[in-house]
Amino acid sequence: EERERAANNFVPAVGNFSVQYNFTSASIAVQILGDDAYLGHPLKKEPPWSKDLTLASVFLGAMIGMLAMGRLGDAIGRVRAMKVTLVFTVLGALIPACAFGGDQSVYAIVCFGRFVLGVGVGGIYPLSAVSSAEGCLAHASRARHIGEAFFFQTLGQLTPYLVAMLLLAVIKPAAPAEWVPELQLRLLFALGAVPAFVVF
């Protein structure tokens, strides 16, 4: 029974891990993008219009995702709706990882990618809670079951910092080079797609 309960909670747990990994890793990647400590100048100078929009776009997307994907789950079923949210999550992680061009273009792509990511991870909230609750047959254990799934948000929040520190330690050429922070931020963004691929 315990093994079956853990299996039923796998998708909600990984989904919750994905939520916080992507929220946190995207913020770290944006910090690397505009930081001037390593190169002596920012990799891409942040345009004035993006200062309020870059970090806010993911939360705007998350609000839309919470409202829309919960309703979509009622309309087409929880499993199908979860797949839709995972597609948004993967796209939202990969779009900014592929950002190119000048300062304005890169930040515009990052903002758009973070918005798409927000829709995906926002949709995971209601769907994973319902999925976790439905996966527990014992009514008395339902709250614990949901709590276990949402605990993985803590691990998801911690992991990007460990990944970032590992990238800083491993990718360290003798002379500062632009490809270093560029590779670091692209990996931080792109790795956010991995949890969604695992459960898709």
Side-chain angles (χ1 to χ4, degrees), residues 19-29 114 156-158 160-161:
V19 167
Q20 284 303 326
Y21 179 91
N22 282 294
F23 274 146
T24 308
S25 67
S27 299
I28 296 170
R114 283 175 62 80
Q157 196 168 22
L158 177 64
Y161 292 104

Side-chain angles (χ1 to χ4, degrees), residues 11-42:
V11 172
V14 175
N16 278 290
F17 176 91
S18 175
V19 167
Q20 284 303 326
Y21 179 91
N22 282 294
F23 274 146
T24 308
S25 67
S27 299
I28 296 170
V30 168
Q31 186 66 35
I32 292 171
L33 189 62
D35 186 55
D36 60 2
Y38 176 71
L39 294 172
H41 60 84

Side-chain angles (χ1 to χ4, degrees), residues 2-138:
E2 189 71 22
R3 184 175 295 178
E4 183 181 349
R5 190 167 62 82
N8 289 338
N9 225 16
F10 177 73
V11 172
V14 175
N16 278 290
F17 176 91
S18 175
V19 167
Q20 284 303 326
Y21 179 91
N22 282 294
F23 274 146
T24 308
S25 67
S27 299
I28 296 170
V30 168
Q31 186 66 35
I32 292 171
L33 189 62
D35 186 55
D36 60 2
Y38 176 71
L39 294 172
H41 60 84
L43 181 63
K44 297 291 179 183
K45 189 175 180 181
E46 187 172 15
W49 60 263
S50 75
K51 290 188 184 296
D52 296 323
L53 191 59
T54 304
L55 293 177
S57 57
V58 71
F59 296 107
L60 176 62
M63 287 189 291
I64 293 170
M66 286 178 193
L67 294 170
M69 295 304 170
R71 181 68 187 94
L72 188 66
D74 293 336
I76 67 171
R78 175 181 47 78
V79 174
R80 285 182 181 175
M82 181 64 91
K83 287 185 178 181
V84 173
T85 64
L86 294 174
V87 168
F88 274 104
T89 303
V90 169
L91 288 174
L94 296 181
I95 288 170
C98 300
F100 63 92
D103 299 346
Q104 301 274 351
S105 298
V106 167
Y107 275 93
I109 293 168
V110 167
C111 286
F112 176 70
R114 283 175 62 80
F115 175 78
V116 173
L117 176 69
V119 174
V121 296
I124 289 172
Y125 271 103
L127 293 172
S128 65
V130 172
S131 177
S132 184
E134 288 178 351
C136 185
L137 299 177

Side-chain angles (χ1 to χ4, degrees), residues 136-182:
C136 185
L137 299 177
H139 185 73
S141 304
R142 205 163 272 179
R144 178 186 165 197
H145 202 242
I146 295 170
E148 287 172 354
F150 275 80
F151 167 76
F152 280 81
Q153 286 196 13
T154 307
L155 300 178
Q157 196 168 22
L158 177 64
T159 303
Y161 292 104
L162 298 176
V163 171
M165 288 190 290
L166 183 64
L167 289 172
L168 288 171
V170 171
I171 307 173
K172 202 172 182 181
E178 284 197 2
W179 66 266
V180 176
E182 190 167 326

